[in-house]
Amino acid sequence: MMSAEEIIDIVDADDRVVGRSPRGEAYARGLRHRCAFVLVRDAGGRLFVHRRTAAKQVFPSLYDMFVGGVVGAGEGYDEAALREAEEELGVSGLPRPAYLFKFLYDDGAGRTWWSAVYEVRCELPVRPQAEEVTWHAFLPEDEVERRLGTGGWEWVPDGRAAYERLRERRAHGPGGPDGR
């Protein structure tokens, strides 16, 4: 698990490395960096959904349909996706997550990161990290859709943005409705 002192790459609007910073400082100063998001399905196709701990630096106590996190300095997205998925799920020997797409998340309030989105099937018994996850379950995708639409659960905004883009790509093909 990355701590606030760990060094991460700082990137520009084109995802080119322009510097390095401790993770905590990057968040405090709103420096753009890189993250990996992994959508995890079990053997039955259900999605791994979890609630983040209250101690998380970003989006504490919110629900998420992705596992993942910050890409370390000098680390590639692919390596970070596998590392983060195995750490958060508490497994080893997970297949390499399949890359789907990348987008720039920017909430306009100083939270901005390039987000590489992946998908993986996990048929191993999961033991999520207690420091990261307070609750988890594999839910049918229609249940996730229902919980996104009806409220009640507050979702991490970057994960919700990634999921909406994924849904859009599935509905309109890899380029989405606008061909990008």
Side-chain angles (χ1 to χ4, degrees):
M1 188 169 72
M2 293 187 85
S3 73
E5 294 79 36
E6 289 183 271
I7 304 299
I8 61 173
D9 288 332
I10 304 304
V11 297
D12 65 13
D14 296 315
D15 197 19
R16 291 186 301 248
V17 176
V18 295
R20 289 195 168 159
S21 171
R23 180 180 181 197
E25 182 181 329
Y27 278 115
R29 294 180 48 208
L31 302 175
R32 185 176 293 123
H33 53 281
R34 293 173 170 162
C35 289
F37 294 64
V38 183
L39 189 74
V40 180
R41 293 183 184 275
D42 68 4
R46 297 175 304 169
L47 299 179
F48 180 82
V49 176
H50 66 283
R51 187 169 189 197
R52 298 162 63 89
T53 64
K56 294 290 286 182
Q57 183 177 7
V58 178
F59 309 134
S61 300
L62 301 185
Y63 289 90
D64 200 350
M65 70 288 287
F66 291 93
V67 297
V70 176
V71 177
E75 185 178 35
Y77 284 110
D78 292 351
E79 293 76 23
L82 180 59
R83 174 183 55 78
E84 286 283 349
E86 287 188 335
E87 285 176 5
E88 284 193 37
L89 294 170
V91 301
S92 60
L94 195 65
R96 181 167 292 279
Y99 174 81
L100 301 176
F101 62 93
K102 184 172 72 169
F103 73 101
L104 178 60
Y105 174 78
D106 190 334
D107 71 358
R111 289 187 171 143
T112 179
W113 39 84
W114 276 101
S115 308
V117 179
Y118 294 79
E119 188 168 8
V120 71
R121 183 169 304 271
C122 178
E123 298 183 10
L124 303 165
V126 297
R127 296 173 303 282
Q129 289 179 319
E131 311 83 45
E132 302 261 344
V133 175
T134 61
W135 170 90
H136 72 280
F138 280 98
L139 300 177
E141 197 155 0
D142 61 344
E143 175 71 8
V144 173
E145 291 282 344
R146 187 180 72 73
R147 294 202 179 264
L148 280 165
T150 62
W153 285 9
E154 190 174 357
W155 296 88
V156 295
D158 60 343
R160 188 177 188 118
Y163 188 78
E164 288 169 2
R165 282 172 171 78
L166 178 59
R167 190 179 339 152
E168 204 172 87
R169 291 172 62 85
R170 287 181 177 153
H172 301 286
D178 61 2
R180 289 188 292 178

Coordinates of all heavy atoms in Angstrom, one line a residue, residues 19-111:
G19 N 7.6 15.7 -13.6 CA 8.3 15.8 -12.3 C 7.9 14.7 -11.4 O 7.2 13.7 -11.8
R20 N 8.3 14.8 -10.1 CA 8.0 13.8 -9.1 C 7.6 14.5 -7.8 O 8.1 15.6 -7.5 CB 9.1 12.8 -8.9 CG 9.3 11.9 -10.1 CD 10.2 10.7 -9.8 NE 10.0 9.7 -10.9 CZ 10.9 8.8 -11.1 NH1 12.0 8.7 -10.4 NH2 10.7 8.0 -12.1
S21 N 6.8 13.8 -7.0 CA 6.4 14.4 -5.7 C 6.0 13.4 -4.8 O 5.5 12.3 -5.2 CB 5.2 15.4 -6.0 OG 4.6 15.8 -4.8
P22 N 6.1 13.6 -3.5 CA 5.5 12.7 -2.5 C 3.9 12.7 -2.8 O 3.3 13.7 -3.1 CB 5.8 13.3 -1.1 CG 7.0 14.2 -1.4 CD 6.8 14.7 -2.8
R23 N 3.4 11.5 -2.6 CA 1.9 11.4 -2.9 C 1.1 12.3 -2.1 O 0.2 13.0 -2.7 CB 1.5 9.9 -2.6 CG 0.1 9.6 -2.8 CD -0.2 8.2 -2.5 NE -1.6 7.9 -2.7 CZ -2.2 6.9 -2.2 NH1 -1.6 6.0 -1.4 NH2 -3.5 6.6 -2.5
G24 N 1.3 12.5 -0.8 CA 0.5 13.4 0.0 C 0.6 14.8 -0.5 O -0.4 15.6 -0.5
E25 N 1.8 15.3 -0.9 CA 1.9 16.6 -1.4 C 1.2 16.8 -2.8 O 0.6 17.8 -3.0 CB 3.4 16.9 -1.6 CG 3.7 18.3 -2.1 CD 5.2 18.6 -2.2 OE1 6.0 18.0 -1.5 OE2 5.6 19.4 -3.1
A26 N 1.3 15.8 -3.6 CA 0.6 15.8 -4.9 C -0.9 16.1 -4.7 O -1.5 16.9 -5.4 CB 0.9 14.6 -5.7
Y27 N -1.5 15.3 -3.7 CA -2.9 15.5 -3.5 C -3.2 16.9 -2.9 O -4.1 17.6 -3.3 CB -3.5 14.5 -2.5 CG -3.8 13.2 -3.3 CD1 -3.1 12.0 -3.0 CD2 -4.8 13.1 -4.2 CE1 -3.4 10.8 -3.7 CE2 -5.1 12.0 -4.9 CZ -4.4 10.8 -4.6 OH -4.7 9.7 -5.3
A28 N -2.3 17.3 -1.9 CA -2.5 18.6 -1.3 C -2.4 19.8 -2.2 O -3.2 20.8 -2.1 CB -1.5 18.8 -0.1
R29 N -1.5 19.7 -3.2 CA -1.3 20.8 -4.2 C -2.1 20.6 -5.5 O -2.0 21.4 -6.3 CB 0.2 20.9 -4.5 CG 1.0 21.3 -3.2 CD 2.5 21.4 -3.5 NE 2.8 22.2 -4.7 CZ 3.9 22.0 -5.5 NH1 4.8 21.1 -5.1 NH2 4.1 22.7 -6.5
G30 N -2.8 19.5 -5.6 CA -3.6 19.3 -6.8 C -2.8 19.0 -8.0 O -3.2 19.4 -9.1
L31 N -1.7 18.3 -7.8 CA -0.8 18.0 -8.9 C -1.3 16.7 -9.7 O -1.7 15.7 -9.1 CB 0.6 17.7 -8.4 CG 1.3 18.8 -7.7 CD1 2.6 18.4 -7.1 CD2 1.4 20.1 -8.5
R32 N -1.4 16.9 -11.0 CA -1.9 15.8 -11.9 C -0.9 14.6 -11.8 O 0.3 14.7 -12.0 CB -2.0 16.2 -13.3 CG -2.7 15.2 -14.2 CD -2.9 15.8 -15.6 NE -3.9 16.8 -15.5 CZ -3.8 18.0 -16.0 NH1 -2.6 18.4 -16.5 NH2 -4.8 18.9 -15.9
H33 N -1.4 13.4 -11.6 CA -0.6 12.2 -11.6 C -1.4 11.0 -12.3 O -2.3 11.3 -13.1 CB -0.3 11.8 -10.1 CG -1.5 11.7 -9.2 ND1 -2.2 12.9 -8.7 CD2 -2.2 10.7 -8.8 CE1 -3.2 12.5 -8.0 NE2 -3.3 11.2 -8.0
R34 N -1.0 9.8 -12.0 CA -1.5 8.7 -12.7 C -2.2 7.7 -11.7 O -1.7 7.5 -10.7 CB -0.4 7.9 -13.5 CG 0.1 8.7 -14.6 CD 1.3 8.0 -15.2 NE 1.7 8.6 -16.5 CZ 2.9 8.4 -17.0 NH1 3.8 7.6 -16.5 NH2 3.2 9.1 -18.2
C35 N -3.3 7.1 -12.2 CA -4.0 6.1 -11.4 C -4.4 4.9 -12.3 O -4.6 5.1 -13.5 CB -5.2 6.6 -10.7 SG -4.9 7.8 -9.4
A36 N -4.5 3.7 -11.7 CA -5.0 2.6 -12.4 C -6.3 2.1 -11.7 O -6.4 2.1 -10.5 CB -4.0 1.4 -12.4
F37 N -7.3 1.8 -12.5 CA -8.7 1.4 -12.1 C -8.9 0.0 -12.7 O -8.7 -0.2 -13.9 CB -9.8 2.2 -12.6 CG -9.8 3.7 -12.2 CD1 -8.8 4.5 -12.4 CD2 -10.9 4.1 -11.4 CE1 -8.8 5.9 -12.0 CE2 -10.9 5.4 -11.0 CZ -9.9 6.3 -11.3
V38 N -9.2 -1.0 -11.8 CA -9.4 -2.4 -12.3 C -10.8 -2.8 -11.9 O -11.2 -2.9 -10.7 CB -8.4 -3.3 -11.7 CG1 -8.6 -4.7 -12.3 CG2 -7.0 -2.8 -12.0
L39 N -11.6 -3.1 -12.9 CA -13.0 -3.7 -12.7 C -12.8 -5.2 -12.5 O -12.2 -5.8 -13.4 CB -13.9 -3.4 -13.9 CG -15.3 -3.7 -13.7 CD1 -16.0 -2.7 -12.8 CD2 -16.0 -3.7 -15.1
V40 N -13.2 -5.8 -11.4 CA -13.0 -7.2 -11.1 C -14.3 -7.9 -11.2 O -15.3 -7.5 -10.5 CB -12.3 -7.3 -9.7 CG1 -12.1 -8.8 -9.4 CG2 -11.0 -6.5 -9.6
R41 N -14.3 -9.0 -11.9 CA -15.4 -9.9 -12.0 C -15.1 -11.3 -11.5 O -13.9 -11.7 -11.6 CB -15.9 -10.1 -13.5 CG -16.4 -8.8 -14.1 CD -16.9 -9.0 -15.5 NE -17.3 -7.8 -16.2 CZ -18.5 -7.3 -16.1 NH1 -19.4 -7.9 -15.3 NH2 -18.8 -6.2 -16.7
D42 N -16.0 -11.9 -10.9 CA -15.8 -13.3 -10.4 C -16.2 -14.2 -11.6 O -16.5 -13.8 -12.7 CB -16.6 -13.6 -9.1 CG -18.1 -13.6 -9.3 OD1 -18.6 -13.5 -10.4 OD2 -18.8 -13.8 -8.3
A43 N -16.1 -15.5 -11.3 CA -16.3 -16.5 -12.3 C -17.7 -16.4 -12.9 O -18.0 -16.8 -14.1 CB -16.1 -17.9 -11.8
G44 N -18.7 -15.9 -12.1 CA -20.1 -15.7 -12.6 C -20.3 -14.4 -13.3 O -21.5 -14.1 -13.6
G45 N -19.3 -13.6 -13.4 CA -19.4 -12.3 -14.0 C -19.9 -11.2 -13.1 O -20.1 -10.0 -13.6
R46 N -20.1 -11.4 -11.8 CA -20.5 -10.4 -10.9 C -19.3 -9.5 -10.6 O -18.1 -9.8 -10.7 CB -20.9 -11.0 -9.6 CG -22.2 -11.9 -9.8 CD -22.6 -12.6 -8.5 NE -21.4 -13.4 -8.0 CZ -21.4 -14.0 -6.8 NH1 -22.3 -13.8 -5.9 NH2 -20.3 -14.7 -6.5
L47 N -19.6 -8.2 -10.3 CA -18.6 -7.2 -10.0 C -18.2 -7.1 -8.6 O -19.1 -7.1 -7.7 CB -19.1 -5.8 -10.5 CG -19.5 -5.6 -11.9 CD1 -20.0 -4.2 -12.2 CD2 -18.3 -5.9 -12.8
F48 N -16.9 -6.9 -8.3 CA -16.4 -6.7 -7.0 C -16.7 -5.3 -6.6 O -16.3 -4.3 -7.3 CB -14.9 -7.0 -6.9 CG -14.4 -6.7 -5.5 CD1 -14.4 -7.7 -4.6 CD2 -13.7 -5.5 -5.2 CE1 -13.9 -7.5 -3.3 CE2 -13.2 -5.3 -4.0 CZ -13.3 -6.3 -3.0
V49 N -17.5 -5.0 -5.6 CA -17.8 -3.7 -5.1 C -17.4 -3.6 -3.6 O -17.5 -4.6 -2.9 CB -19.4 -3.5 -5.2 CG1 -19.7 -2.1 -4.6 CG2 -19.8 -3.6 -6.6
H50 N -16.9 -2.5 -3.2 CA -16.4 -2.4 -1.9 C -16.7 -0.9 -1.3 O -16.9 0.0 -2.1 CB -15.0 -2.7 -1.7 CG -14.0 -1.8 -2.5 ND1 -13.9 -1.8 -3.8 CD2 -13.3 -0.8 -2.0 CE1 -13.0 -0.9 -4.2 NE2 -12.6 -0.2 -3.1
R51 N -16.6 -0.8 0.0 CA -16.7 0.5 0.6 C -15.3 0.8 1.2 O -14.7 -0.1 1.9 CB -17.7 0.5 1.7 CG -17.9 1.9 2.3 CD -19.1 1.9 3.2 NE -19.4 3.3 3.5 CZ -20.1 3.7 4.5 NH1 -20.8 2.8 5.3 NH2 -20.3 5.0 4.8
R52 N -14.8 2.0 0.9 CA -13.5 2.4 1.3 C -13.5 2.7 2.8 O -14.5 3.1 3.4 CB -13.0 3.6 0.6 CG -12.9 3.3 -0.9 CD -12.9 4.6 -1.8 NE -11.8 5.4 -1.5 CZ -10.6 5.4 -2.1 NH1 -10.4 4.5 -3.0 NH2 -9.6 6.2 -1.8
T53 N -12.4 2.5 3.5 CA -12.3 2.9 4.9 C -12.4 4.4 5.1 O -12.1 5.2 4.2 CB -11.0 2.3 5.5 OG1 -9.9 3.0 4.9 CG2 -10.8 0.8 5.4
A54 N -12.7 4.7 6.3 CA -12.8 6.2 6.7 C -11.4 6.8 6.8 O -11.3 8.0 6.7 CB -13.5 6.3 8.1
A55 N -10.4 6.0 6.8 CA -9.0 6.5 6.9 C -8.4 6.8 5.6 O -7.3 7.3 5.5 CB -8.1 5.5 7.7
K56 N -9.1 6.5 4.5 CA -8.5 6.7 3.2 C -8.3 8.2 3.0 O -9.1 9.1 3.3 CB -9.4 6.2 2.1 CG -9.6 4.7 2.1 CD -8.4 4.0 1.6 CE -8.2 4.1 0.1 NZ -7.0 3.4 -0.4
Q57 N -7.1 8.6 2.3 CA -6.8 10.0 2.1 C -7.8 10.7 1.1 O -8.1 11.8 1.2 CB -5.4 10.1 1.5 CG -4.9 11.5 1.3 CD -3.4 11.5 0.9 OE1 -2.8 10.5 0.6 NE2 -2.9 12.7 0.8
V58 N -8.2 9.9 0.1 CA -9.1 10.4 -0.9 C -10.4 9.6 -0.9 O -10.4 8.4 -0.9 CB -8.4 10.3 -2.3 CG1 -9.4 10.8 -3.4 CG2 -7.1 11.2 -2.3
F59 N -11.5 10.3 -0.9 CA -12.9 9.7 -1.0 C -13.1 8.6 0.1 O -13.5 7.5 -0.1 CB -13.1 9.1 -2.3 CG -12.9 10.0 -3.5 CD1 -12.2 9.6 -4.6 CD2 -13.4 11.3 -3.5 CE1 -11.9 10.4 -5.7 CE2 -13.1 12.1 -4.6 CZ -12.4 11.7 -5.7
P60 N -12.8 9.0 1.4 CA -13.0 8.0 2.5 C -14.5 7.6 2.6 O -15.4 8.4 2.3 CB -12.6 8.8 3.7 CG -12.7 10.3 3.4 CD -12.4 10.3 1.9
S61 N -14.7 6.4 3.0 CA -16.0 5.8 3.3 C -17.0 5.7 2.1 O -18.2 5.5 2.3 CB -16.7 6.6 4.5 OG -15.9 6.5 5.6
L62 N -16.5 6.0 0.9 CA -17.4 5.9 -0.2 C -17.3 4.5 -0.9 O -16.4 3.8 -0.7 CB -17.1 7.0 -1.3 CG -17.2 8.4 -0.8 CD1 -16.9 9.4 -1.9 CD2 -18.5 8.7 -0.1
Y63 N -18.3 4.2 -1.7 CA -18.4 2.9 -2.4 C -17.6 3.0 -3.7 O -17.6 4.1 -4.3 CB -19.8 2.5 -2.6 CG -20.5 2.0 -1.4 CD1 -21.2 2.9 -0.6 CD2 -20.5 0.7 -1.0 CE1 -21.8 2.5 0.6 CE2 -21.1 0.3 0.2 CZ -21.8 1.2 1.0 OH -22.4 0.8 2.1
D64 N -17.1 1.9 -4.2 CA -16.4 1.9 -5.5 C -16.6 0.5 -6.1 O -16.6 -0.5 -5.5 CB -14.9 2.1 -5.2 CG -14.1 2.6 -6.4 OD1 -14.6 2.5 -7.5 OD2 -12.9 3.0 -6.2
M65 N -16.7 0.5 -7.5 CA -16.8 -0.7 -8.2 C -15.4 -1.0 -8.9 O -15.4 -1.9 -9.7 CB -17.9 -0.6 -9.3 CG -17.7 0.3 -10.4 SD -17.8 2.1 -10.0 CE -19.6 2.3 -9.8
F66 N -14.4 -0.3 -8.6 CA -13.1 -0.6 -9.1 C -12.1 -0.8 -7.9 O -12.3 -0.1 -6.8 CB -12.5 0.6 -9.9 CG -13.2 0.8 -11.2 CD1 -14.3 1.7 -11.3 CD2 -12.8 0.1 -12.3 CE1 -14.9 1.9 -12.5 CE2 -13.5 0.3 -13.6 CZ -14.5 1.2 -13.6
V67 N -11.1 -1.6 -8.1 CA -9.9 -1.6 -7.2 C -8.8 -0.8 -7.9 O -8.9 -0.7 -9.2 CB -9.5 -3.0 -6.7 CG1 -10.6 -3.7 -5.9 CG2 -9.1 -3.8 -7.9
G68 N -7.8 -0.4 -7.3 CA -6.8 0.3 -8.0 C -6.2 1.3 -7.1 O -6.4 1.4 -5.9
G69 N -5.4 2.2 -7.7 CA -4.8 3.3 -7.0 C -3.8 4.0 -7.8 O -3.7 3.9 -9.0
V70 N -2.9 4.7 -7.1 CA -1.9 5.6 -7.7 C -0.8 4.8 -8.2 O -0.3 3.8 -7.6 CB -1.4 6.6 -6.6 CG1 -0.3 7.4 -7.2 CG2 -2.5 7.5 -6.1
V71 N -0.3 5.2 -9.4 CA 0.8 4.6 -10.1 C 2.1 5.2 -9.5 O 2.2 6.4 -9.3 CB 0.8 4.9 -11.6 CG1 2.0 4.3 -12.3 CG2 -0.5 4.3 -12.2
G72 N 3.0 4.3 -9.0 CA 4.2 4.8 -8.4 C 5.2 5.4 -9.4 O 5.1 5.2 -10.6
A73 N 6.2 6.1 -8.9 CA 7.2 6.8 -9.8 C 7.9 5.7 -10.6 O 8.4 4.7 -10.0 CB 8.2 7.6 -8.9
G74 N 8.0 5.9 -11.9 CA 8.7 5.0 -12.8 C 7.9 3.7 -13.1 O 8.4 2.9 -13.8
E75 N 6.8 3.6 -12.5 CA 5.9 2.4 -12.7 C 5.0 2.6 -13.9 O 4.5 3.7 -14.1 CB 5.1 2.1 -11.4 CG 4.3 0.8 -11.4 CD 3.6 0.6 -10.1 OE1 3.1 1.6 -9.5 OE2 3.4 -0.6 -9.7
G76 N 4.7 1.5 -14.6 CA 3.8 1.6 -15.7 C 2.4 1.4 -15.2 O 2.2 0.8 -14.2
Y77 N 1.4 1.8 -16.0 CA 0.0 1.5 -15.7 C -0.3 0.0 -15.5 O -1.0 -0.4 -14.6 CB -0.9 2.1 -16.8 CG -1.1 3.6 -16.8 CD1 -0.5 4.3 -17.8 CD2 -1.8 4.2 -15.8 CE1 -0.7 5.7 -17.9 CE2 -2.0 5.6 -15.9 CZ -1.5 6.3 -16.9 OH -1.7 7.7 -16.9
D78 N 0.2 -0.8 -16.5 CA 0.0 -2.2 -16.4 C 0.5 -2.9 -15.1 O -0.2 -3.6 -14.5 CB 0.6 -3.0 -17.6 CG 0.0 -2.6 -18.9 OD1 -1.1 -2.0 -19.0 OD2 0.6 -3.0 -20.0
E79 N 1.7 -2.5 -14.7 CA 2.2 -3.0 -13.5 C 1.4 -2.6 -12.3 O 1.2 -3.3 -11.3 CB 3.7 -2.6 -13.3 CG 4.6 -3.2 -14.4 CD 4.6 -2.6 -15.7 OE1 4.1 -1.4 -15.9 OE2 4.9 -3.3 -16.7
A80 N 1.1 -1.3 -12.3 CA 0.3 -0.7 -11.1 C -1.1 -1.4 -11.0 O -1.6 -1.7 -9.9 CB 0.1 0.8 -11.3
A81 N -1.7 -1.7 -12.2 CA -3.0 -2.3 -12.2 C -3.0 -3.7 -11.5 O -3.8 -4.0 -10.6 CB -3.6 -2.4 -13.6
L82 N -2.0 -4.5 -11.9 CA -1.8 -5.8 -11.3 C -1.5 -5.7 -9.8 O -2.1 -6.4 -9.0 CB -0.8 -6.6 -12.1 CG -0.6 -8.0 -11.5 CD1 -1.8 -8.9 -11.6 CD2 0.6 -8.7 -12.3
R83 N -0.5 -4.9 -9.5 CA -0.1 -4.7 -8.1 C -1.3 -4.3 -7.2 O -1.5 -4.8 -6.2 CB 1.1 -3.7 -8.0 CG 1.5 -3.3 -6.6 CD 2.5 -2.3 -6.5 NE 2.2 -1.0 -7.2 CZ 1.4 -0.1 -6.7 NH1 0.8 -0.2 -5.6 NH2 1.2 1.0 -7.4
E84 N -1.9 -3.2 -7.6 CA -3.1 -2.7 -6.9 C -4.2 -3.7 -6.7 O -4.8 -3.8 -5.6 CB -3.6 -1.4 -7.5 CG -2.7 -0.2 -7.3 CD -2.7 0.4 -5.9 OE1 -3.7 0.0 -5.1 OE2 -1.9 1.2 -5.5
A85 N -4.5 -4.4 -7.8 CA -5.6 -5.4 -7.7 C -5.3 -6.5 -6.7 O -6.1 -6.9 -5.9 CB -5.9 -5.9 -9.1
E86 N -4.1 -7.0 -6.8 CA -3.7 -8.1 -5.9 C -3.6 -7.6 -4.5 O -4.1 -8.3 -3.6 CB -2.3 -8.7 -6.3 CG -2.4 -9.5 -7.6 CD -1.1 -10.3 -7.9 OE1 0.0 -9.9 -7.5 OE2 -1.2 -11.3 -8.5
E87 N -3.1 -6.4 -4.2 CA -3.1 -5.8 -2.9 C -4.5 -5.6 -2.3 O -4.7 -6.1 -1.2 CB -2.3 -4.5 -2.9 CG -0.8 -4.6 -3.0 CD -0.1 -3.2 -3.1 OE1 -0.8 -2.2 -2.9 OE2 1.1 -3.2 -3.3
E88 N -5.3 -5.0 -3.1 CA -6.6 -4.7 -2.5 C -7.5 -5.9 -2.4 O -8.3 -6.0 -1.5 CB -7.3 -3.6 -3.4 CG -6.8 -2.2 -3.1 CD -7.6 -1.1 -3.7 OE1 -8.9 -1.2 -3.7 OE2 -7.0 -0.1 -4.2
L89 N -7.4 -6.9 -3.3 CA -8.2 -8.1 -3.2 C -7.6 -9.1 -2.2 O -8.3 -10.0 -1.8 CB -8.3 -8.7 -4.5 CG -9.1 -8.0 -5.6 CD1 -8.9 -8.6 -7.0 CD2 -10.6 -7.8 -5.2
G90 N -6.3 -8.9 -1.8 CA -5.6 -9.8 -0.9 C -5.4 -11.2 -1.6 O -5.5 -12.2 -1.0
V91 N -5.0 -11.1 -2.9 CA -4.7 -12.4 -3.6 C -3.3 -12.3 -4.2 O -2.7 -11.2 -4.4 CB -5.7 -12.6 -4.7 CG1 -7.1 -12.7 -4.1 CG2 -5.7 -11.6 -5.8
S92 N -2.8 -13.4 -4.7 CA -1.6 -13.4 -5.5 C -1.8 -14.4 -6.7 O -2.6 -15.4 -6.5 CB -0.3 -13.8 -4.7 OG -0.5 -15.0 -4.2
G93 N -1.2 -14.2 -7.8 CA -1.4 -15.0 -8.9 C -2.6 -14.6 -9.8 O -3.1 -15.4 -10.6
L94 N -3.1 -13.4 -9.7 CA -4.2 -12.9 -10.5 C -3.7 -12.8 -11.9 O -2.6 -12.4 -12.2 CB -4.6 -11.5 -9.9 CG -5.9 -10.9 -10.4 CD1 -7.0 -11.7 -9.8 CD2 -6.0 -9.5 -9.8
P95 N -4.6 -13.1 -12.9 CA -4.2 -12.9 -14.3 C -3.9 -11.4 -14.5 O -4.5 -10.5 -13.8 CB -5.4 -13.3 -15.1 CG -6.3 -14.0 -14.1 CD -5.9 -13.6 -12.8
R96 N -3.1 -11.1 -15.5 CA -2.8 -9.7 -15.8 C -4.1 -9.0 -16.3 O -4.8 -9.5 -17.2 CB -1.8 -9.6 -16.9 CG -1.4 -8.1 -17.3 CD -0.2 -8.0 -18.1 NE 1.0 -8.4 -17.4 CZ 1.7 -7.6 -16.5 NH1 1.2 -6.4 -16.3 NH2 2.8 -8.0 -15.9
P97 N -4.5 -7.9 -15.6 CA -5.7 -7.2 -16.1 C -5.6 -6.7 -17.5 O -4.5 -6.3 -18.0 CB -5.8 -6.0 -15.1 CG -5.0 -6.4 -13.9 CD -3.9 -7.3 -14.4
A98 N -6.7 -6.8 -18.2 CA -6.8 -6.3 -19.6 C -7.0 -4.8 -19.7 O -8.0 -4.3 -19.1 CB -7.9 -7.1 -20.4
Y99 N -6.2 -4.1 -20.4 CA -6.3 -2.7 -20.6 C -7.6 -2.4 -21.4 O -7.8 -3.0 -22.5 CB -5.1 -2.1 -21.3 CG -5.2 -0.6 -21.6 CD1 -5.0 0.3 -20.6 CD2 -5.5 -0.2 -22.9 CE1 -5.1 1.7 -21.0 CE2 -5.7 1.1 -23.2 CZ -5.4 2.1 -22.2 OH -5.6 3.4 -22.6
L100 N -8.4 -1.4 -21.0 CA -9.6 -1.1 -21.8 C -9.5 0.3 -22.4 O -9.7 0.5 -23.6 CB -10.8 -1.1 -20.9 CG -11.1 -2.5 -20.2 CD1 -12.3 -2.3 -19.3 CD2 -11.4 -3.5 -21.3
F101 N -9.1 1.3 -21.6 CA -9.0 2.7 -22.1 C -8.4 3.6 -21.0 O -8.2 3.2 -19.9 CB -10.3 3.3 -22.6 CG -11.4 3.4 -21.5 CD1 -11.5 4.6 -20.7 CD2 -12.2 2.3 -21.2 CE1 -12.5 4.7 -19.7 CE2 -13.1 2.4 -20.2 CZ -13.3 3.6 -19.4
K102 N -8.1 4.8 -21.4 CA -7.5 5.8 -20.5 C -8.3 7.1 -20.6 O -8.7 7.5 -21.7 CB -6.0 6.0 -20.8 CG -5.3 6.9 -19.8 CD -3.8 6.9 -20.0 CE -3.4 7.6 -21.3 NZ -2.0 7.8 -21.5
F103 N -8.5 7.8 -19.5 CA -9.1 9.2 -19.6 C -8.5 10.1 -18.5 O -8.0 9.6 -17.5 CB -10.6 9.1 -19.5 CG -11.1 8.7 -18.1 CD1 -11.6 9.7 -17.3 CD2 -11.1 7.4 -17.6 CE1 -12.1 9.4 -16.0 CE2 -11.6 7.1 -16.3 CZ -12.1 8.1 -15.5
L104 N -8.7 11.4 -18.7 CA -8.3 12.3 -17.7 C -9.4 12.7 -16.8 O -10.5 13.2 -17.3 CB -7.8 13.6 -18.4 CG -7.3 14.7 -17.5 CD1 -6.2 14.3 -16.6 CD2 -6.9 16.0 -18.3
Y105 N -9.3 12.3 -15.5 CA -10.3 12.7 -14.5 C -9.9 14.1 -14.0 O -8.7 14.3 -13.6 CB -10.3 11.7 -13.4 CG -11.3 12.1 -12.3 CD1 -12.6 12.0 -12.4 CD2 -10.8 12.7 -11.1 CE1 -13.5 12.4 -11.4 CE2 -11.6 13.1 -10.1 CZ -13.0 13.0 -10.3 OH -13.8 13.4 -9.3
D106 N -10.8 15.0 -13.9 CA -10.5 16.3 -13.4 C -11.8 16.8 -12.8 O -12.8 17.1 -13.5 CB -10.0 17.3 -14.5 CG -9.5 18.6 -13.9 OD1 -9.9 19.0 -12.8 OD2 -8.6 19.2 -14.5
D107 N -11.9 17.0 -11.5 CA -13.1 17.4 -10.9 C -13.3 19.0 -10.8 O -14.2 19.5 -10.3 CB -13.3 16.8 -9.5 CG -12.3 17.4 -8.4 OD1 -11.5 18.3 -8.8 OD2 -12.4 17.0 -7.3
G108 N -12.2 19.7 -11.3 CA -12.3 21.1 -11.3 C -12.0 21.8 -10.0 O -11.9 23.0 -9.9
A109 N -11.7 20.9 -9.0 CA -11.4 21.4 -7.7 C -10.1 20.9 -7.1 O -9.9 20.8 -5.9 CB -12.5 21.0 -6.7
G110 N -9.1 20.6 -8.1 CA -7.8 20.2 -7.7 C -7.6 18.7 -7.6 O -6.5 18.3 -7.2
R111 N -8.5 18.0 -8.0 CA -8.3 16.5 -8.1 C -8.3 16.1 -9.5 O -9.3 16.1 -10.2 CB -9.4 15.7 -7.3 CG -9.3 15.9 -5.8 CD -10.3 15.0 -5.1 NE -10.1 15.0 -3.7 CZ -11.0 15.0 -2.8 NH1 -12.3 14.9 -3.1 NH2 -10.7 15.0 -1.5

